Amino acid sequence: MVHTTYTYKFILIVFKIQGLLDIKFYFKLLMLGILNLFTISMDVNTRYQSFLNQLRSAPALRKTELIYHTPFELLIAVILSAQCTDKRINLCTPALFQAFPTPEKLSKASFEAVFAYIKSITYPRSKTTYLLETARLLVTEFQGVVPNAIADLQTLPGVGRKTAHVVASILYDAPVIGVDTHLFRVAKRIGLASYASKTPFKVEQELMRYLPTEQVQAANQWMLLHGRYICVARKPRCNQCTITNFCNYFQNNQHDI
Ligand code: SF4
């Protein structure tokens, strides 16, 4: 898509130089545009095909690295994991879940009591408020059960689109994608999403357009773990990567890697 942008900037400059009267020139311009779009579309399709092929041969992955035993515990762990590592969350949740194993128990807890269990994670004050409010709503609106509809999940404090998708995917096998910071980066580097997509929602839309429904979850989890351990933010570990043959970033930067 970056390629597309540059191509059209170039075309616009030529357009200004050429003047406004040459019909043949307009025709050539139109043909070039169509050819360019066709080429880009072919590239994306080929890249998705390569990605899906490698996904089929990859070992099955766990749905999450967060430790939980009930849907309620998963929901709480995912809320806590926003902008924090799963490793850190797994250190504090066992004691939290032991003290407050159900929405009913958590909804009756004091702010200070909950805060004490999660003070070592990111944004502990906001997250304490989210947990207490979410527990209260689960009790009053959902009979103490984690809802399976994404729209219902998103009514819970601390549950945005990404969190709702992660929970629905893990608990209810919903074919949805939770675009976190790793997935956002990895999808663009591989070339499955465009650098022009500036928001997680845009990246999600691009992925959902091309991924077959039955491979959405596997693709989601593979990219997330790949971003966490191999395609890390600062310097991707391309020498350990199995998809260099179709990764857009690698193909454009291999001389610098
Ligand atoms: S080749 Fe490098 S940039 Fe591409 S996905 Fe692998 S680690 Fe990331």
Side-chain angles (χ1 to χ4, degrees):
M1 224 28 102
V2 172
H3 172 58
T4 317
T5 310
Y6 284 129
T7 305
Y8 281 107
K9 275 187 184 162
F10 174 73
I11 287 171
L12 280 176
I13 291 166
V14 176
F15 180 86
K16 281 181 188 159
I17 294 169
Q18 184 75 13
L20 301 172
L21 298 173
D22 188 344
I23 294 294
K24 275 189 196 162
F25 171 72
Y26 285 124
F27 182 70
K28 279 184 197 162
L29 193 64
L30 182 65
M31 288 298 106
L32 178 60
I34 291 170
L35 187 65
N36 191 28
L37 283 175
F38 181 68
T39 307
I40 295 292
S41 145
M42 284 291 285
D43 283 346
V44 171
N45 283 326
T46 306
R47 189 164 282 122
Y48 265 91
Q49 218 40 63
S50 304
F51 175 68
L52 292 170
N53 286 342
Q54 89 83 35
L55 207 56
R56 282 185 205 103
S57 59
L61 300 169
R62 275 170 43 203
K63 285 184 174 180
T64 179
E65 293 188 316
L66 290 168
I67 297 171
Y68 71 99
H69 303 94
T70 65
F72 170 66
E73 288 185 1
L74 176 75
L75 173 63
I76 296 301
V78 179
I79 292 174
L80 292 176
S81 71
Q83 297 178 61
C84 198
T85 63
D86 287 2
K87 204 170 163 190
R88 163 75 37 203
I89 301 307
N90 287 339
L91 286 175
C92 75
T93 47
L96 176 74
F97 294 154
Q98 193 171 15
F100 310 109
T102 62
E104 291 77 11
K105 288 238 164 83
L106 184 58
S107 68
K108 290 175 189 154
S110 68
F111 182 95
E112 291 70 25
V114 175
F115 181 82
Y117 286 101
I118 65 168
K119 63 185 177 194
S120 64
I121 70 171
T122 55
Y123 308 109
R125 294 201 158 271
S126 308
K127 287 177 181 175
T128 297
T129 306
Y130 292 154
L131 295 199
L132 290 169
E133 280 294 295
T134 287
R136 189 182 61 73
L137 273 179
L138 285 176
V139 172
T140 57
E141 305 295 323
F142 300 103
Q143 296 79 48
V145 175
V146 176
N148 59 8
I150 286 167
D152 287 340
L153 282 165
Q154 285 190 258
T155 63
L156 301 170
V159 180
R161 185 178 181 86
K162 186 209 84 181
T163 299
H165 281 201
V166 171
V167 171
S169 170
I170 295 172
L171 289 182
Y172 305 117
D173 272 335
V176 289
I177 291 182
V179 179
D180 72 346
T181 178
H182 298 302
L183 205 141
F184 188 73
R185 177 180 69 253
V186 169
K188 289 182 178 197
R189 278 186 181 160
I190 297 173
L192 300 177
S194 157
Y195 276 99
S197 291
K198 300 289 185 205
T199 63
F201 181 59
K202 289 267 183 203
V203 168
E204 179 195 321
Q205 281 184 313
E206 277 197 87
L207 292 169
M208 291 303 285
R209 192 184 313 146
Y210 288 98
L211 290 172
T213 307
E214 67 278 10
Q215 280 185 280
V216 164
Q217 289 181 315
N220 188 154
Q221 189 58 3
W222 190 91
M223 279 191 275
L224 190 152
L225 292 178
H226 196 63
R228 194 174 284 172
Y229 298 113
I230 304 288
C231 194
V232 291
R234 205 167 289 170
K235 191 162 174 32
R237 297 170 185 143
C238 301
N239 57 350
Q240 299 172 34
C241 185
T242 54
I243 61 165
T244 51
N245 59 323
F246 63 86
C247 171
N248 192 41
Y249 180 94
F250 184 82
Q251 283 163 5
N252 289 325
N253 298 280
Q254 54 183 307
H255 298 301
D256 308 325
I257 291 172

